[in-house]
Amino acid sequence: MKKDMNALINAYYKAALIKGTFDYYIICEKQLECEAVDEEVMQSIHSAFGEILSSSNEDKKQDILKVEHLRNQIIQKMQVLTAYTDQLQVYEYVLNRCEQRYQKEELIDEEVFANKLFQFIFLVKDNMLINDNIKACLAQLPVRMTKMHYFDLIRQSILLYKGSEQEAVNSYLYILRCSAMLYEPEGIDDYFLNHKDEMELFKRVDYNKLTKEEYSRYTLLLSKMAENLIIESDFYVSAQDLLNCIDTILISRTSMEQVTWEGEEDCRKILSDVYTTRFDTLDMESRQHLEDTFSKLEGEQEKAYDEIQRLEAKITVDTEKDSQEILLNLEKMGKLMSSSVFTELELKINTQLADENYIEVQTKQFIQELSDLFDKSSKFVVRSIMAATLSKMPVFFNSKDEVYHYIKNSLKQCSDFAEKNVSMKLLNEFMDTI
């Protein structure tokens, strides 16, 4: 068992060192090319690689704590960016439905469209795909239902979680709160305050009296903000992926009897050159030499992952029963090297069951939050929130007929030409791309 555990730690170390070397090269290249980066995060990454390259035998636990503190900060920042992305989607829905007020297109035949959409939904035989199609339709069709009926659907959907773990209820409500612009993560008052100011502009718009010039201005703002959110998010995904490798390298060095492997010195040479120069003093010949060195590592990372997979299947880590540091480190490295880049390392899961009282309290609180938000929002924003949340709920139709009547009624009861036509246009595009 001990031999297998040491082999697994060495495999984690190898995979993390190769991947970390490549990712460090790429992220430094982006910094040199003045792509959007968080300079404070980059400085911490450089410092961490300085410690890795150091030959010091000092305890690395303080370095691990620094890296994991930075990981948590990036998780907070990503949660803030995600919250703004969710909010932006609500306003994108509203602005999309204003478009044909100013550039009218020929009205799509809603009878023909309703039949086409219904047939599209049930064209597949897989129930999961049918449900996905229904949810895609709910996200775009005009919402014409009373708040009372909507809140009743919310209640019924939460009630489905009765008897499951409370964590499942909380996760579901988190998804709904995000879609409804109700989730305010820790750090929203500290990070990306420029986006907070931009979002306030969308909140103050009178969408009922929106002029063509205002529509163009806000559409452009939305587009630029969406682009910036993507660029910022991409950086933090890359940075977090790299920090996961750094953390794994540091942890492995505190736990294993190190086994040297071919290519390790190549990794250290690349890291040293990039860390020392940040590309500023590297000429094209030197950079070409570094890239040639990468070619020597080809296939090594895959071998390490194969070894990880083989050994993980042999070693079972139960941290509730085992408190040995080496086992705790194995579990942590497994999380860090998984595909879940933003995984919480010290996640505490609530395993208590959601009884009737718990469901009732959570439902009442969430509906009150929605009600308060609706009271201060325009009907356009309310409908956008309804559409977004309905598409995240378990499908509430009991038959094909109910689906067909929903489609027909949502179009029939929508007297807004622009909203109706854009909804049908977007769904036609969706159907044509599948």
Side-chain angles (χ1 to χ4, degrees):
M1 180 74 166
K2 184 178 179 182
K3 184 179 178 182
D4 284 338
M5 287 193 293
N6 194 64
L8 179 55
I9 294 169
N10 271 279
Y12 281 138
Y13 171 71
K14 181 178 179 180
L17 186 61
I18 297 172
K19 187 175 188 304
T21 300
F22 181 76
D23 289 353
Y24 186 48
Y25 183 96
I26 296 297
I27 206 167
C28 286
E29 207 168 34
K30 288 182 178 180
Q31 186 179 30
L32 182 69
E33 293 169 0
C34 300
E35 291 190 27
V37 297
D38 183 323
E39 294 294 342
E40 188 177 340
V41 170
M42 284 302 301
Q43 189 52 52
S44 297
I45 288 173
H46 294 316
S47 297
F49 274 111
E51 294 298 330
I52 287 172
L53 290 165
S54 168
S55 58
S56 168
N57 291 320
E58 291 180 10
D59 189 352
K60 297 291 182 185
K61 289 185 179 178
Q62 284 303 314
D63 297 328
I64 292 169
L65 289 174
K66 287 178 187 175
V67 169
E68 292 180 3
H69 176 70
L70 183 57
R71 280 190 84 255
N72 291 334
Q73 277 191 330
I74 290 180
I75 288 172
Q76 274 191 15
K77 289 182 177 182
M78 277 300 294
Q79 287 173 338
V80 173
L81 289 174
T82 302
Y84 284 131
T85 300
D86 290 329
Q87 291 177 36
L88 207 61
Q89 287 174 345
V90 169
Y91 294 112
E92 180 183 34
Y93 178 102
V94 176
L95 286 171
N96 277 345
R97 278 142 189 80
C98 295
E99 179 186 8
Q100 291 193 23
R101 292 183 195 172
Y102 318 108
Q103 46 188 53
K104 291 187 177 181
E105 297 179 10
E106 185 179 350
L107 182 62
I108 297 169
D109 187 318
E110 63 183 79
E111 185 75 31
V112 172
F113 170 80
N115 289 323
K116 177 184 175 183
L117 185 59
F118 177 75
Q119 289 170 11
F120 169 81
I121 290 171
F122 294 102
L123 187 64
V124 292
K125 302 301 179 186
D126 187 305
N127 285 336
M128 189 175 292
L129 292 177
I130 290 171
N131 286 344
D132 288 345
N133 287 341
I134 291 172
K135 290 180 180 183
C137 296
L138 289 171
Q140 297 298 342
L141 284 168
V143 178
R144 292 298 184 270
M145 67 173 65
T146 65
K147 291 179 186 177
M148 187 178 296
H149 180 45
Y150 169 73
F151 290 149
D152 190 48
L153 290 173
I154 292 286
R155 287 188 190 92
Q156 291 174 33
S157 73
I158 301 173
L159 193 58
L160 293 173
Y161 287 85
K162 182 181 174 182
S164 62
E165 290 183 354
Q166 291 181 7
E167 190 63 33
V169 181
N170 298 340
S171 296
Y172 176 57
L173 288 172
Y174 165 76
I175 291 170
L176 293 184
R177 282 193 172 94
C178 288
S179 298
M181 305 196 300
L182 288 170
Y183 176 62
E184 292 197 348
E186 187 179 347
I188 200 160
D189 293 323
D190 302 314
Y191 304 127
F192 313 110
L193 298 183
N194 57 315
H195 293 324
K196 187 173 186 178
D197 293 339
E198 290 166 337
M199 204 57 72
E200 284 300 320
L201 296 174
F202 289 108
K203 290 178 183 178
R204 293 198 296 265
V205 175
D206 184 346
Y207 293 99
N208 200 39
K209 298 179 180 177
L210 194 66
T211 66
K212 183 177 182 179
E213 290 71 23
E214 288 171 330
Y215 167 78
S216 298
R217 187 165 70 248
Y218 284 114
T219 301
L220 181 61
L221 175 60
L222 186 141
S223 178
K224 286 183 177 178
M225 191 174 173
E227 183 181 349
N228 289 334
L229 286 168
I230 290 170
I231 292 170
E232 289 160 341
S233 297
D234 284 348
F235 168 76
Y236 287 113
V237 170
S238 299
Q240 191 78 331
D241 212 6
L242 182 51
L243 285 169
N244 289 347
C245 292
I246 293 171
D247 203 11
T248 301
I249 293 167
L250 292 170
I251 293 170
S252 65
R253 287 185 171 183
T254 69
S255 310
M256 71 180 183
E257 298 169 15
Q258 191 167 351
V259 178
T260 58
W261 47 275
E262 190 177 349
E264 185 170 3
E265 280 307 308
D266 288 328
C267 287
R268 293 183 65 82
K269 176 67 170 64
I270 295 169
L271 286 174
S272 179
D273 286 351
V274 175
Y275 170 76
T276 304
T277 65
R278 313 285 204 276
F279 291 128
D280 285 342
T281 58
L282 278 181
D283 56 29
M284 288 304 295
E285 185 178 345
S286 300
R287 290 185 67 171
Q288 184 61 53
H289 177 69
L290 284 181
E291 290 175 12
D292 290 343
T293 307
F294 272 120
S295 65
K296 297 180 186 177
L297 299 169
E298 193 172 338
E300 290 299 317
Q301 191 175 336
E302 288 76 9
K303 289 178 187 177
Y305 278 116
D306 288 343
E307 182 74 350
I308 287 170
Q309 214 168 20
R310 183 183 70 81
L311 291 165
E312 281 181 339
K314 291 178 69 175
I315 301 170
T316 303
V317 180
D318 187 344
T319 52
E320 291 186 6
K321 295 179 181 178
D322 298 310
S323 57
Q324 294 180 55
E325 186 175 12
I326 190 169
L327 289 171
L328 296 175
N329 285 341
L330 278 172
E331 184 196 36
K332 187 180 282 189
M333 286 187 284
K335 289 180 177 179
L336 288 165
M337 296 305 290
S338 73
S339 58
S340 301
V341 177
F342 295 99
T343 186
E344 299 274 5
L345 299 181
E346 306 294 337
L347 187 62
K348 294 181 180 178
I349 298 177
N350 179 6
T351 57
Q352 286 184 281
L353 297 183
D355 58 17
E356 189 173 340
N357 182 61
Y358 186 82
I359 293 291
E360 184 179 345
V361 169
Q362 297 302 315
T363 301
K364 186 176 180 180
Q365 180 182 335
F366 179 56
I367 289 178
Q368 186 60 56
E369 291 173 23
L370 280 171
S371 184
D372 292 343
L373 177 61
F374 287 178
D375 286 345
K376 59 186 179 185
S377 301
S378 72
K379 65 181 181 182
F380 302 99
V381 173
V382 170
R383 287 169 181 168
S384 177
I385 291 170
M386 283 183 171
T389 48
L390 286 171
S391 68
K392 299 297 190 299
M393 290 162 51
V395 171
F396 47 84
F397 301 110
N398 295 312
S399 67
K400 290 184 178 182
D401 284 346
E402 286 188 17
V403 175
Y404 184 70
H405 288 309
Y406 183 90
I407 296 169
K408 290 277 290 182
N409 290 337
S410 72
L411 296 171
K412 183 179 179 181
Q413 294 174 19
C414 178
S415 58
D416 186 327
F417 165 88
E419 180 182 2
K420 182 189 298 189
N421 222 34
V422 168
S423 295
M424 291 190 288
K425 179 182 175 183
L426 291 172
L427 282 167
N428 267 328
E429 290 173 359
F430 168 71
M431 288 186 281
D432 290 342
T433 58
I434 299 298

